[in-house]
Amino acid sequence: MRRICVGVMGGTVADDRTAAAARELGRLIAENGWVLVSGGRPSGVMQASVTGAHEAGGLTVGVLYDEDRELAAEGLDIVIPTGMGAARNIINVLSSDVVVACRGTGGTLSEIAMALRFQRPVVLLDFNPGEAFLNAGAPEAVWSLAATPAEAVDQVRTYLEERDLA
């Protein structure tokens, strides 16, 4: 049986609150036996979520912006250098059964938009880009807001159960 992949998207730069939430999210993803997929950069939400999952013994995958493996976050088990720049965002989204988006900027917003477009459920952790943006995706798009990492993981579990993936 294939493993469930949960994409964690968020800014390359993260304040302390966002980084702490991403680290806790990574830990919870690992504890549920899910694979963490991220952009794999050694900073911000990407590093924090990978650190949390790695510390909890989870499997981590980083789909890199660059072609250089040395630019990967510490704690990644699988490093996929693409040299594709931001185009790698579509790989992150399509590789994920559910996407959790932490606070970020343009790159994170593009990943949310792609996830909605390709009907991947999106959980927004302490991040609300606005209903107009979120509802502009496909009419069947599914998204929800979560205040805490534990709430986000509960919502991921619900989406997986609804799709018979749990």
Side-chain angles (χ1 to χ4, degrees):
M1 186 167 105
R2 78 169 180 86
R3 303 271 307 265
I4 298 298
C5 294
V6 177
V8 176
M9 312 305 162
T12 301
V13 175
D15 61 27
D16 290 344
R17 183 175 95 184
T18 301
R23 188 173 186 155
E24 175 68 5
L25 177 64
R27 182 185 67 77
L28 293 169
I29 287 169
E31 288 178 357
N32 276 276
W34 303 327
V35 177
L36 184 139
V37 177
S38 81
R41 285 190 172 181
S43 62
V45 166
M46 291 169 272
Q47 181 64 68
S49 63
V50 166
T51 298
H54 180 75
E55 289 173 345
L59 179 62
T60 58
V61 178
V63 181
L64 303 184
Y65 186 95
D66 303 292
E67 71 257 6
D68 186 351
R69 289 179 179 277
E70 299 306 313
L71 298 175
E74 285 187 43
L76 283 171
D77 296 301
I78 299 171
V79 175
I80 303 170
T82 69
M84 297 172 65
R88 68 79 154 92
N89 292 356
I90 193 68
I91 297 169
N92 285 334
V93 167
L94 293 177
S95 298
S96 301
D97 294 296
V98 178
V99 169
V100 180
C102 300
R103 287 187 280 162
T105 56
T108 306
L109 291 171
S110 75
E111 288 163 324
I112 294 167
M114 285 184 270
L116 295 171
R117 162 69 176 83
F118 290 102
Q119 299 178 10
R120 297 302 192 272
V122 176
V123 177
L124 297 129
L125 176 55
D126 191 26
F127 181 53
N128 186 353
E131 287 190 36
F133 171 79
L134 295 166
N135 290 331
E140 306 83 25
V142 177
W143 60 270
S144 58
L145 301 173
T148 67
E151 188 178 318
V153 166
D154 286 343
Q155 291 175 16
V156 168
R157 190 176 298 108
T158 297
Y159 289 140
L160 292 170
E161 289 169 356
E162 289 173 355
R163 287 162 175 72
D164 294 324
L165 296 172

